[in-house]
Structure formats: structure tokens, C-alpha cells
Amino acid sequence: STLFAAAREIWEAQGLTVFGTALSGKAARGLQETTAIQSHTLHRTLWQIQHEALPFGSAAVLVVDEAAMVGTRQLAEVFEACLKHGATLVLCGDPKQLQPIELGGVFSELLCRHRMSELSQIRRQREEWVRQAVKDFAFGRADQALPAYEQRGMVKANENTWSAIERLIADWKLEAISHDSTVILAGTMAEVSALNRRAQQERQEAGFLGRESVSNGGEAIFVGDRVLFTKNSMALGIMNGDVGTVENAGGDTLTVRVKDGGLVTVDVRTYDHVRLGYALTTHKAQGMTAEKAFVLTGGSMTDRELSYVQASRARGVTRWYVADDLPQVVQQMKRTHEKCAATSLAAAPELELTLNR
């Protein structure tokens, strides 16, 4: 954000118009808020370009944030639009973080084939050993990264997922039950649901929640609960991934104070995409910054990319709760699911590819 805030000033001083885009609405809004670059979701930006709703031409610069998460077909649409209109395309991302849901790998391929600028120093984490551990996770050195936390008492091995959840919640209760700038991370929706129920129960017993509640999707949401919005709504001014705290609840209506301090009133009969937000999947936490993170790891949803994102969310403390054999989890954390473009596979001498028409 610091980089592109400065770049925008330079581009605009040269008479260029700068637009921003990202795959998710939350990322696009974050880009706009931190850089003052007018930004929308990738889908909306392409629609605007196609319908000439943007002054998009040779004097335009399009910045694509989190480009490594954009699928091959979507990225091809971006390239074609910029070529057609003569605009400058700037891609920004980290191929070692979460991968595209669909076909991907083009961003990594471009980094190998073309000149690039790289940010090599981590600024988010305060302590040097944590910054080194984050780098180790990114490059598949979990056997060096996780022991650094273990030596400081920040790794707890458990016999199974449920004992890991109970241990995590016990520590969260002691350290963060009243602290807003914390996040609990897990790999699956089932784990996240269990963690959210337990966190809500602890806050209720500690007197942090009011009596008033609204039922949504079989889930009771009380005044004082932290909630997550799971779908974009232009009418409400919220994005998929936004979090907030419930200030009022009654009938079918929730009033939520969101991160920027504003109030959002939601009728769950017309917008029912509200869930408890103490715990999030790692995918939902992409791009998030917290003071503390409590990570449930182990099982099928553990790999290099997820571990890297989990390790890099907190400025301060990250605690790990391992729901499996520790040496086995370390090996899983080293395993990568980074996607490769077909063109990079074709360059491998040991492979012979046949194009089927």
C-alpha cells in the first residue's frame, strides 16, 4: 500500500489516470482506502471497461492487487482489455500465498520471464525472529520455522482436533477474550464453526454478551458478538470478509459496528450472510492484519501456502495448536500446492506434452 500510494502520485503527475482492481471486494476496497486509487472487483472492472464506463485508454494504468490469486482465464481477460485499449498493466502479488481456485500459475510464470520489482523485507511483524520464521514458512522450511515458535512455548501438540480446539480456546480466553485485534484461524468450515461456538460460549459466560439476539441460519447472534459478513452488498456498503461487532439486536435486525467505525443495519430476512466471526478460515483471513493469532493446524488442509498466510497475519504473537503428530504436520507444512502454468510444464525437458484439439 505504501508503494502504490507513492506510485499513484507519480503516475498522476505524469498525466495518467490510475485504476485498481482485485479479485475480492474486500481487497479492492483495501487497495482504494490505503492508496487513494479508485478500485473495484475484477469482475466489475472488466464489465466497466467492456461497457466504456471507465475512461480507459493509453493514458490509463490498471493495478491488479493480489494477482497471484487470479485464475488464468480471468488474467487473460485483463491482458486483452489492456492491449485493446493501450493501457499499462501493473500486477502485484505473492505466488507463495493462497493459490487461484481455478486454473492458475500465470503470475509465477511472468515473474520468471520478465523484469520485476520485489519487496524483500517484512514490515508487519515486529520481532526479527518472527520475520525470519515467516520467510521460512514461505520457502518451505517449516522444519526451521515451527521450532522457533516451539522454543518460545508457542506450539502445543494435541492428540486430536477436539483437544486442540479446547486448548486453543482456553488460551484465547486468558489472553484475548476481550481484545478486538485478534483472530483465530483454521483450515475447514467445520473447525471454524466449532471454534466460533466455543468462543461465543466463553464470552457469554464471562458477561461480554447481551441478552438480545437474532437467529440466523440456526445460529444465535447476540449483542456483543463478533460477526463476519460473507457476501458483498453494495446497498449495505459491506464486502465479503468484513467483520464487526453487534451493537443492537432485535426481531430480524442486527446493527453492527464495522472496522471503519460505521454502523450497518442488516435485516437477516433479506441479507442472511452473517456468521459468527471469532474464527475464520485462512482463505477469509488473506490480507488481514491482527495483533495476535491463534492457529489450529494439522489434517488435510495443511500445506506451505496456508501455513505462510497463517504465520504472517499477526504483528505480535502467533500461537500454534497442532491437531496431529507434530513431525507429520511439519512435513505437511513443507508440501506445496503452488499451481503451474502449462507453458512452464512444456519447458520441462522430461515432459512431452500433446495438444488435443
Side-chain angles (χ1 to χ4, degrees), residues 91 107-108 110-119:
L91 303 177
F107 183 76
S108 295
L110 291 170
L111 297 182
C112 295
R113 294 186 178 218
H114 300 280
R115 292 177 60 190
M116 64 171 180
S117 297
E118 184 177 11
L119 295 175

Side-chain angles (χ1 to χ4, degrees), residues 172 180-185 226 277-280 285 288 290 292-295 313:
W172 175 84
D180 288 336
S181 187
T182 62
V183 63
I184 301 172
L185 299 177
R226 186 184 188 188
Y278 301 106
L280 309 175
M288 176 180 284
K292 291 184 178 182
F294 298 79
V295 182
R313 294 309 91 201

Side-chain angles (χ1 to χ4, degrees), residues 19-339:
F19 301 102
T21 190
L23 198 59
S24 72
K26 184 179 178 182
R29 187 176 63 188
L31 179 64
Q32 178 167 309
E33 290 175 349
T34 56
T35 67
I37 296 174
Q38 180 186 337
S39 303
H40 297 291
T41 63
L42 187 56
H43 180 79
R44 185 179 180 190
T45 298
L46 288 169
W47 185 93
Q48 289 178 313
I49 293 170
Q50 291 162 3
H51 292 80
E52 299 182 351
L54 286 178
F56 201 67
S58 59
V61 177
L62 179 62
V63 175
V64 181
D65 196 16
E66 296 191 353
M69 294 184 67
V70 180
T72 300
R73 294 185 180 95
Q74 289 174 301
L75 205 53
E77 286 187 59
V78 177
F79 272 90
E80 288 169 3
C82 290
L83 284 171
K84 178 181 176 181
H85 294 276
T88 298
L89 176 62
V90 179
L91 303 177
C92 175
D94 186 345
K96 295 189 180 299
Q97 290 196 13
L98 301 183
Q99 300 298 295
I101 294 173
E102 57 179 60
L103 299 174
V106 170
F107 183 76
S108 295
E109 181 75 0
L110 291 170
L111 297 182
C112 295
R113 294 186 178 218
H114 300 280
R115 292 177 60 190
M116 64 171 180
S117 297
E118 184 177 11
L119 295 175
S120 58
Q121 294 186 12
I122 296 174
R123 298 290 185 184
R124 178 179 288 158
Q125 284 72 42
R126 297 190 188 97
E127 296 188 67
E128 178 56 35
W129 76 266
V130 182
R131 293 195 287 267
Q132 183 58 51
V134 170
K135 288 183 180 180
D136 287 337
F137 274 121
F139 288 94
R141 300 189 294 264
D143 52 348
Q144 298 177 39
L146 202 60
Y149 292 90
E150 191 176 14
Q151 291 165 12
R152 294 164 173 83
M154 297 180 184
V155 178
K156 295 184 179 179
N158 302 270
E159 293 181 358
N160 54 53
T161 299
W162 303 113
S163 61
I165 287 174
E166 288 304 315
R167 205 164 183 181
L168 186 157
I169 290 296
D171 287 349
W172 175 84
K173 179 182 177 181
L174 289 173
E175 295 184 32
I177 191 170
S178 62
H179 201 295
D180 288 336
S181 187
T182 62
V183 63
I184 301 172
L185 299 177
T188 69
M189 287 298 298
E191 292 167 348
V192 164
S193 295
L195 285 161
N196 273 322
R197 287 194 298 271
R198 288 290 292 111
Q200 183 189 56
Q201 179 184 348
E202 293 295 341
R203 279 179 58 83
Q204 195 166 39
E205 292 176 0
F208 287 103
L209 303 185
R211 295 183 178 180
E212 303 84 0
S213 69
V214 168
S215 179
N216 183 48
E219 190 174 68
I221 300 175
F222 291 86
V223 171
D225 264 329
R226 186 184 188 188
V227 293
L228 168 75
F229 296 104
T230 61
K231 187 176 181 180
N232 295 345
S233 172
M234 298 297 291
L236 295 173
I238 54 179
M239 295 293 177
N240 182 3
D242 282 349
V243 294
T245 302
V246 177
E247 293 207 348
N248 287 292
D252 297 301
T253 303
L254 293 168
T255 302
V256 181
R257 188 167 297 281
V258 291
K259 185 178 179 181
D260 63 3
L263 287 174
V264 176
T265 300
V266 178
D267 188 329
V268 297
R269 293 171 299 180
T270 56
Y271 180 94
D272 61 352
H273 306 281
V274 188
R275 300 289 182 268
L276 291 175
Y278 301 106
L280 309 175
T281 63
T282 306
H283 283 79
K284 285 291 186 189
Q286 170 87 5
M288 176 180 284
T289 300
E291 182 60 32
K292 291 184 178 182
F294 298 79
V295 182
L296 178 66
T297 187
S300 59
M301 291 296 290
T302 301
D303 61 18
R304 187 188 75 184
E305 288 76 27
L306 286 165
S307 300
Y308 174 29
V309 173
Q310 291 165 345
S312 57
R313 294 309 91 201
R315 296 188 189 93
V317 175
T318 299
R319 298 195 180 279
W320 301 85
Y321 299 83
V322 181
D324 214 330
D325 178 66
L326 188 57
Q328 180 180 332
V329 170
V330 169
Q331 291 305 310
Q332 290 174 313
M333 287 176 163
K334 296 170 69 174
R335 180 185 58 192
T336 180
H337 286 112
E338 186 173 347
K339 294 189 175 182

